């Protein structure tokens, strides 16, 4: 997998479906179970859901992430209990990437309204994939609503934070040096999209 995961933040199970069903009946059939990394979602110290990350990297049919919420009204956000809300909060695409950035959370699904959960000064960090239409649209929408966003500099070729860390970049410095909003964000974004 090549990820630099903090073992204190994530768990592992050989039987994902059986483990989930021991907490909440979700899967009708556990016959073809599989191992997965468990990404716990906490809110106000309660385990409110999990994401299961596939370990089957060679099978394109394998669902990469399965999110199961134990509380349907709780936020699908990783790391919410570990941030300081009175400071800027970095919002990454994935839980693994968020562990490399100070005061950060990760969306566990589509973009959500993080302000609903007390994050009033978000800085959005998307993957460095200028040819990915979905990411390009999400960055454009983030800029249009007036939020701050990280626009990766042209010299960085790695597609996500974990790859950048493996490459040896001081990711916190890179992120802090490339935060933009408003017209400046739009100009940087237009250049980034052409890379």
């Amino acid at each position: 997998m090549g990820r630099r995961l903090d073992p204190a933040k994530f768990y592992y199970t050989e039987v994902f479906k059986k483990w989930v069903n021991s907490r909440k009946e979700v899967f009708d059939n556990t016959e073809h179970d599989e191992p997965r990394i468990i990404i716990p979602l906490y809110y106000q110290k309660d385990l409110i859901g999990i994401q299961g990350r596939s370990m089957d990297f060679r099978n394109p049919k394998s669902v990469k992430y399965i999110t199961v919420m134990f509380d349907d009204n709780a936020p699908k956000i990783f790391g919410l209990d570990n941030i300081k809300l009175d400071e800027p909060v970095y919002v990454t695409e994935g839980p693994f990437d968020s562990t490399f950035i100070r005061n950060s959370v990760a969306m566990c699904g589509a973009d959500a309204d993080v302000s609903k959960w007390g994050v009033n000064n978000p800085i959005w960090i998307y993957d460095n994939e200028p040819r990915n239409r979905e990411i390009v649209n999400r960055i454009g929408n983030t800029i249009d609503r007036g939020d701050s966003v990280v626009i990766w500099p042209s010299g960085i070729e790695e597609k996500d934070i974990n790859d950048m860390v493996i490459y040896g970049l001081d990711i916190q410095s890179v992120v802090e040096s490339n935060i933009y909003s408003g017209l400046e964000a739009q100009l940087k974004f237009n250049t980034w999209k052409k890379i």
Side-chain angles (χ1 to χ4, degrees):
M1 186 161 145
R3 301 257 163 206
R4 292 195 179 172
L5 302 181
D6 181 345
K9 293 184 169 83
F10 305 105
Y11 305 95
Y12 173 80
T13 179
E14 288 282 340
V15 286
F16 175 73
K17 292 177 181 179
K18 287 177 185 163
W19 184 86
V20 168
N21 278 359
S22 74
R23 306 240 359 150
K24 178 182 180 182
E25 195 69 30
V26 172
F27 299 101
D28 295 331
N29 185 342
T30 60
E31 188 177 327
H32 299 287
D33 216 336
E34 61 183 346
R36 283 186 177 260
I37 296 171
I38 302 292
I39 301 164
L41 307 180
Y42 292 99
Y43 182 60
Q44 297 177 341
K45 307 298 180 214
D46 290 328
L47 180 66
I48 47 92
I50 59 100
Q51 260 196 341
R53 170 62 159 90
S54 174
M55 303 288 293
D56 191 355
F57 309 111
R58 286 173 267 177
N59 182 359
K61 293 182 180 179
S62 177
V63 178
K64 192 172 182 179
Y65 288 98
I66 297 174
T67 304
V68 176
M69 299 304 293
F70 304 134
D71 177 348
D72 293 331
N73 297 316
K76 288 185 182 178
I77 302 173
F78 172 80
L80 203 52
D81 271 9
N82 300 319
I83 55 171
K84 296 177 182 173
L85 293 171
D86 58 339
E87 296 179 10
V89 175
Y90 296 96
V91 184
T92 68
E93 286 199 71
F96 299 153
D97 286 343
S98 73
T99 63
F100 299 108
I101 306 292
R102 284 191 297 275
N103 212 47
S104 67
V105 296
M107 306 309 297
C108 293
D111 290 338
D113 180 5
V114 293
S115 65
K116 180 179 178 182
W117 307 104
V119 178
N120 297 315
N121 190 4
I123 299 168
W124 297 85
I125 307 174
Y126 296 98
D127 285 349
N128 186 26
E129 296 185 80
R131 289 175 190 81
N132 182 315
R133 182 176 291 150
E134 183 181 341
I135 289 175
V136 168
N137 289 340
R138 290 167 80 189
I139 294 172
N141 291 337
T142 299
I143 293 169
D144 289 346
R145 71 175 177 260
D147 285 353
S148 296
V149 64
V150 170
I151 306 291
W152 300 107
S154 60
I156 295 180
E157 296 179 9
E158 293 72 28
K159 76 170 193 72
D160 65 20
I161 290 171
N162 189 79
D163 290 345
M164 294 173 199
V165 169
I166 290 170
Y167 184 72
L169 295 176
D170 178 349
I171 195 63
Q172 190 72 40
S173 294
V174 171
V175 163
E176 290 174 2
S177 302
N178 292 283
I179 300 169
Y180 303 98
S181 62
L183 181 58
E184 188 178 21
Q186 192 61 58
L187 293 170
K188 290 284 185 183
F189 177 50
N190 289 340
T191 301
W192 176 81
K193 282 192 296 186
K194 295 173 185 172
I195 293 174

